[in-house]
């Protein structure tokens, strides 16, 4: 199962991908988590990324694509993986298609978790991460609308786009996703 979980920050991508991964025994690949791990390790990549992440800005496409390129060829990805937080720009989506072809990965699906903005703002306000102060959250939502939302159209054109209502209890959102995965 090869899947992108798509949606604005705070819609529950992390929570749902953990549940899907546990059910299907495949890894979750979160570019945000990989970057946060690099920050903890204090690598050069981590230090550079932190400056952008703290401001709510995106890390450059080439850095992100490098991370993905290395990660998806690892052994645990053979039977599938879930992407959480990638692709976030049209360029990432396009380059990712090239990678999928190169690695002969078929049937990639993109599932959006859709949640109204007011609910997202409430949820992120409660999360308390470094990049969750209100101003930064608003910036991340704006960047999502400007740069990430167009990625939807890309997968719609490929007939690979699905959407679920994320403004529901965790189990209900999970069941909606599972239904889409049964073919
Ligand atoms: P996340 O945990 O997915 O909310 O990501 C936290 C932060 O990491 C984002 O606000 C970005 O600064 C950066 N980041 C994560 N994934 C990407 C990506 N695919 N492209 C660009 N920046 C990213």
């Amino acid at each position: 199962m090869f899947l992108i979980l798509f949606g604005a920050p705070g819609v529950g991508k992390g929570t749902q991908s953990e549940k899907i991964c546990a059910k299907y025994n495949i890894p979750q690949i979160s570019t945000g988590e990989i970057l946060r791990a690099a920050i903890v390790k204090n690598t050069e990549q981590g230090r550079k990324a932190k400056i952008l992440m703290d401001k709510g800005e995106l890390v450059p496409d080439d850095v992100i694509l490098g991370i993905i390129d290395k990660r998806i060829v690892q052994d645990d990805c053979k039977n599938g993986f879930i992407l959480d937080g990638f692709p976030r720009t049209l360029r990432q989506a396009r380059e990712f298609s090239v990678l999928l072809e190169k690695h002969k990965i078929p049937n990639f699906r993109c599932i959006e978790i859709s949640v109204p903005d007011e609910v997202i703002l409430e949820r992120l306000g409660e999360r308390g991460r470094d990049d969750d102060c209100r101003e930064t959250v608003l910036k991340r939502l704006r960047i999502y609308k400007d740069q990430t939302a167009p990625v939807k159209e890309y997968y719609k054109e490929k007939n690979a786009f699905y959407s679920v209502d994320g403004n529901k209890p965790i189990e209900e959102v999970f069941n909606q996703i599972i239904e889409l995965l049964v073919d």
Side-chain angles (χ1 to χ4, degrees):
M1 173 152 327
F2 298 90
L3 205 66
I4 293 167
L5 269 195
F6 191 79
V11 298
K13 298 189 295 291
T15 306
Q16 293 298 330
S17 44
E18 264 175 39
K19 290 174 73 65
I20 303 163
C21 290
K23 184 173 167 79
Y24 293 98
N25 198 22
I26 50 177
Q28 169 205 22
I29 303 177
S30 156
T31 39
E33 268 177 29
I34 293 171
L35 291 167
R36 282 188 287 279
I39 292 173
V40 170
K41 274 202 199 150
N42 198 18
T43 63
E44 196 191 341
Q45 188 177 69
R47 285 193 297 274
K48 281 189 182 156
K50 185 173 184 343
I51 297 168
L52 297 164
M53 289 164 77
D54 282 350
K55 287 195 283 190
E57 289 173 15
L58 293 183
V59 171
D61 288 339
D62 287 326
V63 173
I64 299 290
L65 286 160
I67 289 173
I68 291 291
D69 193 20
K70 270 201 233 150
R71 183 65 186 88
I72 65 171
V73 294
Q74 287 171 16
D75 264 0
D76 61 338
C77 290
K78 282 216 172 76
N79 297 321
F81 51 85
I82 298 185
L83 290 165
D84 159 12
F86 174 91
R88 258 177 158 100
T89 65
L90 262 182
R91 182 167 163 236
Q92 288 179 19
R94 290 196 183 111
E95 301 265 339
F96 183 54
S97 293
V98 177
L99 282 181
L100 291 177
E101 250 180 57
K102 185 170 108 186
H103 298 301
K104 305 203 169 22
I105 296 172
N107 296 333
F108 219 95
R109 282 182 259 202
C110 177
I111 299 183
E112 174 192 46
I113 305 178
S114 175
V115 173
D117 281 359
E118 317 84 77
V119 180
I120 292 177
L121 283 170
E122 244 172 67
R123 287 191 192 175
L124 290 177
E126 287 161 8
R127 199 162 71 169
R129 233 167 55 189
D130 274 2
D131 55 355
D132 282 346
C133 83
R134 191 177 165 83
E135 217 173 280
T136 312
V137 165
L138 287 173
K139 191 162 171 192
R140 291 172 74 201
L141 281 179
R142 211 167 45 239
I143 289 180
Y144 173 78
K145 293 218 161 90
D146 291 348
Q147 298 196 50
T148 307
V151 171
K152 267 193 226 188
E153 304 308 316
Y154 181 82
Y155 288 106
K156 276 183 191 165
E157 276 168 27
K158 288 183 175 291
N159 290 324
F161 187 83
Y162 306 83
S163 190
V164 299
D165 180 359
N167 196 16
K168 291 265 161 62
I170 289 173
E171 282 307 318
E172 261 182 64
V173 179
F174 183 56
N175 288 334
Q176 291 178 67
I177 295 174
I178 295 304
E179 268 174 39
L180 288 176
L181 300 178
V182 181
D183 354 59

